[in-house]
Each structure stands twice: as structure tokens, then as C-alpha cells.
Amino acid sequence: MAFAKSNKDLFASVGADGSVRLFDLRRLQHSTIVYESSDLVPLLRIAWNTEDPNYLATIMMDSPTVTVLDIRVPSIPVAELNGHKGAVNSIAWAPHSACHIASASDDGKALIWDLSSIPKPVEEPILEYNSGAEINQMQWSTGCAQWISIALEDKLRILRV
């Protein structure tokens, strides 16, 4: 689940039914489906762009792809980021930029992507860190945008980007 930074009443969720749904706290009995994964593969995480409220990112179960969505254009991803060899476990938007997102995966890599070329395809990440072990979680510091934390095995690493 992720709350919109620009609208205190709006949040998005993902689930086992393979859908991304938008909810308004003032009308919880209704939701809007903005995306459904192919073959309705369960979606595990969602992250709302901290600088541009139109963009969300999500990851599918056991998938090496990050799917980027524009809520103004439902059902069609604006980008699919395919730089990982293992399942993506975590995604985090940059707190200072509308066009940067980080992803972390079972392949041990933390990748930072520049989405400024959208609608053109995003072919490769702009930065890569290889941890040597599966990365379970990642977070981009909201207080100091040059730091990203990753969790792997029984360790926490703080990376300067």
C-alpha cells in the first residue's frame, strides 16, 4: 500500500489478484483498477512517485521486472525496467527527483533508473551496486537523498549514490 503525497485521501494497493487499485478515503466502498498484471500474477509491492503524483511502480511475484504506471493512462505500463536476473523484492522512488527510481533483487543488485526518457524505452540503469547476496529490502533516505539503505542476509548497508 502507498499513500499519495499530493492528496491525503488517495492511496493505492496491490494484491494477489494481480491488480493495482486506487482508493479514496472518503469513498472506501469503491476503488478504481488502474492496472492488471498479465495472467493476473500477484503484485507484491507498490510505490508512489514522491515528486510526480501521476506515477506508480509495482513488482510482480517472482519477476525480474519493475512496472511503471501513469494513472492518467490506466492498464498500460509506461515503462518496464528489465535489468535484474532475479526476482525484484523492493522499489523506492527518489525523494528529490520525479524521474529516478531504485530497485533491489534476489540477484544481489541494487539498480537506479533514470526515467526522464519516457515514453522512449528505458534500456539500462544509470547506477548498479552488486551486494553479493539477495537484497530483501531497500529504502531511499527522505532526509538526505544521497543515501540508500539495503537489507541483505543479517546485514544493513548504507550506500551513497
Side-chain angles (χ1 to χ4, degrees):
M1 191 167 91
F3 282 90
K5 183 178 176 183
S6 63
N7 183 338
K8 65 179 177 62
D9 295 317
L10 195 61
F11 70 94
S13 72
V14 294
D17 67 351
S19 70
V20 174
R21 295 173 184 264
L22 294 182
F23 291 88
D24 187 319
L25 289 171
R26 297 164 294 193
R27 292 185 283 301
L28 284 176
Q29 61 273 27
H30 300 288
S31 66
T32 302
I33 296 175
V34 294
Y35 176 75
E36 289 183 310
S37 63
S38 57
D39 300 324
L40 300 179
V41 175
L43 299 174
L44 301 180
R45 306 257 189 281
I46 189 161
W48 212 305
N49 188 314
T50 57
E51 296 295 309
D52 187 337
N54 296 309
Y55 290 96
L56 295 166
T58 187
I59 55 176
M60 287 180 254
M61 184 170 70
D62 300 325
S63 172
T65 301
V66 176
T67 302
V68 180
L69 307 169
D70 183 336
I71 62 173
R72 299 167 296 186
V73 186
S75 302
I76 303 168
V78 293
E80 291 186 331
L81 310 176
N82 295 302
H84 289 287
K85 302 289 185 249
V88 176
N89 295 319
S90 189
I91 47 179
W93 288 96
H96 66 292
S97 168
C99 61
H100 292 95
I101 187 170
S103 58
S105 168
D106 282 350
D107 65 7
K109 292 181 181 176
L111 305 177
I112 296 179
W113 303 86
D114 182 352
L115 306 181
S116 60
S117 65
I118 288 176
K120 294 179 184 174
V122 179
E123 301 293 337
E124 295 182 2
I126 57 170
L127 286 174
E128 177 179 317
Y129 173 78
N130 193 345
S131 70
E134 293 179 2
I135 300 173
N136 301 311
Q137 185 62 270
M138 134 186 294
Q139 197 64 246
W140 207 314
S141 172
T142 57
C144 192
Q146 65 197 29
W147 298 103
I148 289 179
S149 62
I150 59 171
L152 58 145
E153 296 174 329
D154 61 348
K155 299 172 184 73
L156 172 69
R157 292 189 184 158
I158 309 297
L159 310 174
R160 187 176 190 149
V161 294

